[in-house]
Amino acid sequence: MYNDIRLEKGLYNLSGKSFTAALEELDPSSAYAGTPLEKLDAFERQLKRFNIRISGQDCDCVEKFFSSTETAILFPEFVTRSIRKGFDETILGSVCAAKTVTNSSKYLGCVLDDSEDYTSTAQTVSLPEATVTEGTDPITLAKYGRLISASYEAVRQQRLDVFGVMLRSIGVRLAASVVKTAVTVLATDATEVETAGTTLTYADLAALYGSFSDFDMTTVIADPTNASLIAAMEQVKNCTTNAEGRLVLPLGAELIKCSAADDDAVIGIDRDFALEFITSTDLVMETDKLIDRQLDQITVSITCGFKKITPDAVKVLKIKSE
């Protein structure tokens, strides 16, 4: 049972396993099916065990994590989860078709050559060929990170829910720097469609939609200025939002406002085929320092990169300059 788990630093250092995964092996969630604890994961059960409240009216302060040696072991996971929550709230999940984990700082992947027409073939004629080969241009993964300076004395009386929001905001901004690379990869060498005039119109969006042949335009990425212009269009005024709170255009594509997008272009993608997210690490924290209350110089980082999977699943609408 979760009350009998011995918490120690070594749970953070098991090869190929996160702290929660290590806890789950010791205290499987499947054992709590049909009980009041079935909706909690192994980490959340440890919070309950030690009565650490991270939200709500009776939320504890940071120092509650350091009331014992065992509870201090839980603090790095709280920090990591808070930052990851902010990281995951960004658009990455809406633009990436697949995620690949690699052990190298460079990634080749595969390249699909499927340029021949899909037509009927006579019985005596060989079928048109699609080839998959190893890539020749490696993707070099880059590290994105932040140095967090906050002495224990400065934050120990801070409520955990407020401190969690601060950490989440770091995750949001960290992801924003990653998203900038993703948008650049999408736009590079993509097929372009030009607007009819110097002002973006709904007819231009329809032309972008019509430029997709075998794939569909599920997502439109625009900088804040162009996104606001699209939202204000007469044809869009009665549109509703989806489960993520994003505006769904009459064309069926969700509108994503992204400051990383260029102000002279709108990107249309089929998110099920366009982009591969490649990473060699999850979010990395200096767990030992956090456990020992050495918060003065804490780093959080992720090493990742992007690769366009299907070029035909990405189109760019270029806005004419005046």
Side-chain angles (χ1 to χ4, degrees), residues 26-319:
L26 299 172
D27 180 37
S29 292
S30 58
Y32 297 90
T35 74
L37 301 179
E38 67 177 343
K39 295 184 178 180
L40 303 181
D41 65 21
F43 172 71
E44 292 166 334
R45 287 192 291 275
Q46 291 303 309
L47 294 181
K48 179 176 178 59
R49 171 188 177 184
F50 293 104
N51 195 30
I52 300 175
R53 294 158 297 196
I54 62 175
S55 62
Q57 184 175 353
D58 299 321
C59 179
D60 288 312
C61 295
V62 170
E63 64 180 358
K64 183 66 176 286
F65 272 109
F66 298 95
S67 57
S68 73
T69 302
E70 282 197 292
T71 54
I73 301 296
L74 299 172
F75 186 60
E77 180 66 8
F78 166 77
V79 173
T80 301
R81 285 188 177 213
S82 297
I83 295 175
R84 185 185 294 115
K85 184 176 181 182
F87 191 92
D88 292 342
E89 286 174 352
T90 55
I91 72 168
L92 283 176
S94 296
V95 300
C96 295
K99 178 180 179 179
T100 297
V101 179
T102 178
N103 294 322
S104 173
S105 61
K106 292 183 181 294
Y107 176 75
L108 283 174
C110 295
V111 175
L112 172 65
D113 182 355
D114 193 20
S115 56
E116 291 194 51
D117 291 337
Y118 276 75
T119 59
S120 60
T121 305
Q123 291 185 8
T124 59
V125 178
S126 298
L127 290 172
E129 183 178 8
T131 60
V132 178
T133 58
E134 185 176 51
T136 56
D137 298 319
I139 305 297
T140 300
L141 307 189
K143 178 181 284 189
Y144 303 83
R146 201 70 171 176
L147 176 67
I148 305 171
S149 298
S151 70
Y152 175 69
E153 289 303 317
V155 301
R156 69 184 187 87
Q157 291 294 328
Q158 179 62 65
R159 282 171 56 105
L160 284 168
D161 53 358
V162 176
F163 189 54
V165 170
M166 294 177 183
L167 294 171
R168 200 166 83 231
S169 72
I170 292 174
V172 168
R173 300 190 71 178
L174 179 60
S177 63
V178 176
V179 166
K180 186 174 182 179
T181 301
V183 170
T184 299
V185 171
L186 284 171
T188 300
D189 297 327
T191 300
E192 293 186 357
V193 179
E194 195 172 55
T195 58
T198 57
T199 302
L200 180 64
T201 67
Y202 188 77
D204 295 322
L205 292 178
L208 178 64
Y209 172 77
S211 68
F212 286 80
S213 53
D214 297 325
F215 300 95
D216 197 11
M217 187 172 76
T218 65
T219 308
V220 171
I221 305 170
D223 81 307
T225 299
N226 287 323
S228 65
L229 287 174
I230 294 170
M233 291 176 180
E234 182 69 20
Q235 296 88 343
V236 180
K237 67 178 184 180
N238 293 323
C239 290
T240 58
T241 57
N242 58 17
E244 288 75 35
R246 298 193 180 105
L247 190 65
V248 178
L249 304 178
L251 305 169
E254 70 172 356
L255 175 63
I256 292 181
K257 181 181 68 174
C258 177
S259 58
D262 291 337
D263 59 5
D264 64 346
V266 173
I267 303 173
I269 69 170
D270 188 328
R271 66 180 178 190
D272 294 327
F273 297 94
L275 193 66
E276 180 182 9
F277 177 45
I278 308 143
T279 180
S280 62
T281 65
D282 195 357
L283 286 173
V284 176
M285 299 288 302
E286 296 173 287
T287 56
D288 286 350
K289 285 188 175 182
L290 288 171
I291 292 169
D292 295 335
R293 288 183 278 188
Q294 300 174 19
L295 278 66
D296 294 332
Q297 297 287 308
I298 303 299
T299 61
V300 55
S301 64
I302 185 171
T303 303
C304 61
F306 298 90
K307 183 177 186 293
K308 198 181 299 182
I309 302 175
T310 311
D312 284 346
V314 184
K315 311 287 183 182
V316 173
L317 176 64
K318 293 293 290 185
I319 302 172

